[in-house]
Amino acid sequence: RFGKTPIPSYIENHKLNEKELRKRYQSIFAKHPGSTAAPTASLHFTNRVFKKLDNKNIERLFVTLHVGLGTFSTLLPEHFEENKLFEEHYEIDKKVADKIEKLKKSGKKLVAVGTTSVRTLESFARNKKLKSGTDIFIHTPFKFKNVDCLITNFHVPKSSLMLLVEAFLQSKKSKRKLTELYKYAIINSFRFYSFGDSMLII
C-alpha cells in the first residue's frame, strides 16, 4: 500500500510510473508475498506464451523461492570457504513434487525457468524437504539431479548467478564458456539483466 517496487539499482532513467512498474516487474503467476525482487527469467512469460505452451501440451509446474537481497551481492571469500550462500526460503507443493519425481523417472526433460527455480529444484533433490531454507552454492563442479534445461537471463558480473549458469554449461559439456556467450551477447547488442533477453541452455 505504501511501498515502492524494489527494482534493482542498475535500472536507471526509466520512464515507468509506479503502476506500470508493478505490472512490468512482476511475474504473471506471482502468488506468495516474500521476495525482494522478481525472478527475472519469469518476466518473459505472458498469458500468450502460456497459451502456446498449452497448445503444445507442455505442462507447467510452479515452485516458490523468496528471492533475498543476497542474490544481488558480490561473492566473498567466505562463500567459497564455507561452500554456502545466503539463505533463501523455498516451498514446493506435494502434488508438484510428486509430478517432478514421476517426470524424472519417465526420462522427460525438466526445464527450469531461472536460477531461482534451479536453487529450489536442486535443493529439493538433495534434502527432499517441501519447505526449507536453502543456502546451496552451485558452482563447478556440480552434479545437477533435477534440472535438465535452463532458461536464464544475462546476469550481473561477479555474481553467484553467473557461477551457477557456468556450472550448468559445464555439466552439459558446452563447447563455449559463459564469458564467451556473454561476449557474443554484447557484440550482438543483447539486453542484460532484469528487463533483458534470455537464453535457453539444452
Side-chain angles (χ1 to χ4, degrees), residues 12-13 26 52 72 75 77 87 89 141 150 174 176 183:
E12 299 175 346
N13 303 319
Q26 179 67 284
K52 288 186 176 182
F72 305 102
L75 286 168
E87 186 174 280
H89 180 76
L150 172 61
S174 171
R176 292 187 180 182
K183 285 178 182 178

Side-chain angles (χ1 to χ4, degrees), residues 159-175:
S159 65
S160 62
L161 308 181
M162 285 190 71
L163 288 188
L164 185 155
V165 179
E166 176 63 29
F168 193 74
L169 282 170
Q170 291 196 25
S171 75
K172 291 291 181 180
K173 296 180 169 46
S174 171
K175 293 180 180 178

